[in-house]
Amino acid sequence: MKYKHLAMLVAFATASLPAINNVAYAEGETPPSAAPSADVAAESNEIKMFRFATRMDKLEFVKQAMHLNADQEKKFLEQYDRYDIELASLNDERLSIIKDYAANFEKITDKDADKLVKRSLNFRKQRTALLEKYYAKVAKATSKVIAARFLQVEAVLQGAGDVVIGSSIPLMEK
């Protein structure tokens, strides 16, 4: 816990730099050229570190927000860990959608836009289906009240994440 503030600072800095770049790009600055392969590997490691730090912070937030006793927390976390793994996989698809958008931002066609929108809507459907699946699992393992609280906490986290991501992605120009 001694390094928690350092991890938060690194995570914030890692998250802020792409957002700042996107905002600058949206305001008309020239986007940076493709990074050399060594930079790509370093970026991949940074993303992994950021995701790990974010996941740990999220887990602490969820545990505090859920207000469970030790027995309830154990049963809840067995389900939540599985949920979080499946959600991470879904978020990989979301990242892929964002990368595809960024790669085609200047030359996006109607066909490209349609594909991106359909992929994005499919992501949201899958995320909702995942919540439904784990509502039932958490309710069975604990109670429906605890499962409902889980959905409330996730709604707050996902909503905040959606706002951060959405506000850092420039709108289509055409």
Side-chain angles (χ1 to χ4, degrees), residues 64-147:
Q64 288 178 4
M66 291 299 293
H67 300 291
L68 304 173
N69 65 36
D71 184 51
Q72 292 170 328
E73 185 174 280
K74 181 182 178 211
K75 291 175 183 176
F76 169 75
L77 289 178
E78 288 172 1
Q79 299 305 316
Y80 187 80
D81 288 341
R82 292 181 192 126
Y83 163 78
D84 201 39
I85 290 167
E86 289 186 49
L87 181 62
S89 178
L90 273 180
N91 285 334
D92 287 344
E93 172 57 19
R94 182 181 216 180
L95 182 59
S96 173
I97 295 166
I98 293 168
K99 284 181 178 181
D100 288 350
Y101 176 63
N104 296 301
F105 179 75
E106 289 182 332
K107 58 184 190 264
I108 197 138
T109 65
D110 281 349
K111 185 177 178 180
D112 294 333
D114 189 52
K115 285 180 185 176
L116 289 168
V117 166
K118 287 178 179 172
R119 287 175 62 197
S120 181
L121 291 172
N122 188 49
F123 162 78
R124 290 179 182 275
K125 286 177 190 173
Q126 289 178 331
R127 188 170 70 174
T128 298
L130 185 65
L131 286 170
E132 289 174 2
K133 174 182 173 180
Y134 278 92
Y135 167 78
K137 288 179 177 276
V138 170
K140 184 176 181 181
T142 58
S143 74
K144 289 182 179 178
V145 170
I146 291 172

Side-chain angles (χ1 to χ4, degrees), residues 153-174:
V153 170
E154 280 300 305
V156 169
L157 290 169
Q158 289 179 3
D162 289 348
V163 167
V164 169
I165 291 169
S167 66
S168 65
I169 296 174
L171 296 176
M172 292 182 194
E173 293 183 8
K174 293 182 181 182

Side-chain angles (χ1 to χ4, degrees), residues 10-24 32 46 168:
V10 169
F12 178 77
T14 304
S16 297
L17 290 175
I20 291 168
N21 283 338
N22 285 341
V23 169
E46 287 177 9
S168 65

Side-chain angles (χ1 to χ4, degrees), residues 33-44:
S33 61
S37 60
D39 288 345
V40 171
E43 184 178 305
S44 177

